[in-house]
Amino acid sequence: MTVLAYGTPAADAPLSQMEITRRAPGPHDVQIDILFCGICHSDLHQARSEWAGTLYPCVPGHEIVGRVAAVGVHVGSHKVGDLVGVGCMVDSCQHCADCDEGLENYCDGMVGTYNGPTQDAPGHTLGGYSQQVVVHERYVLKVSHPEEQLAAVAPLLCAGITTYSPLRHWQAGPGKKVGVVGIGGLGHMGLKLAHAMGAHVVAFTTSESKRADALALGADEVVVSRNPEEMAAHAKSFDFILNTVAAPHDLDPFLGLLKRDGTMTLVGAPASPHPSPNVFGFITKRRSLAGSMIGGIPETQEMLDFCAEHGITSDIEMIRAEQIETAYERMLKGDVKYRFVMDIATMGQ
Ligand code: NAP
Ligand code: ZN
């Protein structure tokens, strides 16, 4: 079936409307009419080939929510009319140790929602800036938030799970002091989730203007990271720091804020490397630097259910499809509060 999408034919070309084809649903497939798609900084990195290896045409978008339009004959978990979500992956090998543990995100055969290998035309996956998507049922999540919150649920499918998973893995909760660095799409979800988990939460921002917002989003304290005195007041005090920054920066000032055995986990994926951290920042306090990538399917469902139970959604600004380039430029300036979401109904209007 042919549907409308927003994508780009080249790294230096703006996104524009195009037609793409979606496969007819197979026995295990769910066909979804997409209603909203969040705009992740990864979409911009991919569309502009900042990570190299982008296949064109590129249709980004991996924060998808919509309604089930059809299901294959063997689909048992979803039915026509259900509200569902699709995040950053649409397939994996389904038989390795990672898949068996529900950690499909770490499977070597994981297929991204865009730019992943597929039999479907044009030979790589095309993402959620489109009217419809067809996905194997295993990678389709159930949405139980009220329908009127659907647009604000979309960003949970990437920004939500990418912050929820490391917060859980490194046991954010009561009695723990947790930092969140970079208050953008991921970071603002990190504040909400760490707060809901019961941790003492400190927001680190380069933007003085986000100070009040960060408190409202769930931070107990806010530090403007460009201010050395504010940073020094938190020396050697954190159990865990989640770093979401989308650009290379000096990690040493943040490592110095970890207490003995503390960990800083990087989820931001800048186009070029951070300057190498100083070894003494690690050995003097047995500190760790780690990384984390999205989350597995069972944990993504757990996160969605946790958010529905706690009334958590993303703070969003809705855009029409043709405003995508302006949204990217604003995202690069840190000028988004706190996630753009594309209203797919505006496509083709
Ligand atoms: P975003 O909305 O643009 O937020 C990034 C934030 O980082 C900005 O709002 C800004 O916050 C801070 N920042 C940006 N440039 C900075 C600089 N030069 N120095 C210091 N701080 C800076 O991006 P996002 O969608 O949250 O994504 C963040 C990163 O995570 C991207 O690289 C994305 O590709 C990556 N990502 C990774 C995963 C994963 O699985 N690991 C999943 C999704 C996204 P302040 O204004 O508060 O300083
Ligand atoms: Zn993302």
Side-chain angles (χ1 to χ4, degrees), residues 4-25:
L4 295 178
Y6 256 72
T8 178
D12 56 0
L15 272 74
S16 58
Q17 190 170 294
M18 54 174 66
E19 288 188 347
I20 62 169
T21 54
R22 296 297 192 188
R23 67 174 182 263

Side-chain angles (χ1 to χ4, degrees), residues 8 22 32 35 86 152 160 177 194 218-219 243 277 308 326 336:
T8 178
R22 296 297 192 188
I32 301 162
L35 296 169
V86 176
K177 185 171 176 184
N243 187 326
T326 312
V336 42

Side-chain angles (χ1 to χ4, degrees), residues 20-40:
I20 62 169
T21 54
R22 296 297 192 188
R23 67 174 182 263
H28 290 283
D29 281 339
V30 180
Q31 184 180 349
I32 301 162
D33 287 336
I34 302 177
L35 296 169
F36 302 101
C37 186
I39 312 297
C40 179

Side-chain angles (χ1 to χ4, degrees), residues 8 21-22 54-59 111-127:
T8 178
T21 54
R22 296 297 192 188
T54 300
L55 303 165
Y56 294 95
C58 169
V59 174
V111 177
T113 303
Y114 49 78
N115 214 59
T118 175
Q119 307 278 338
D120 301 354
H124 59 272
T125 51
L126 302 172

Side-chain angles (χ1 to χ4, degrees), residues 38-43 51 61-63 87-88 114 155 157-160 162 186 294 339:
I39 312 297
C40 179
H41 206 115
S42 301
D43 300 351
W51 293 332
H62 58 202
E63 294 184 337
C88 301
Y114 49 78
L157 275 306
C158 174
T162 301
L186 267 54
I294 47 175
R339 197 56 137 188

Side-chain angles (χ1 to χ4, degrees), residues 158-186:
C158 174
I161 185 59
T162 301
T163 50
Y164 182 91
S165 182
L167 286 168
R168 280 286 190 228
H169 185 78
W170 278 277
Q171 297 167 346
K176 296 288 180 72
K177 185 171 176 184
V178 170
V180 177
V181 187
I183 310 307
L186 267 54

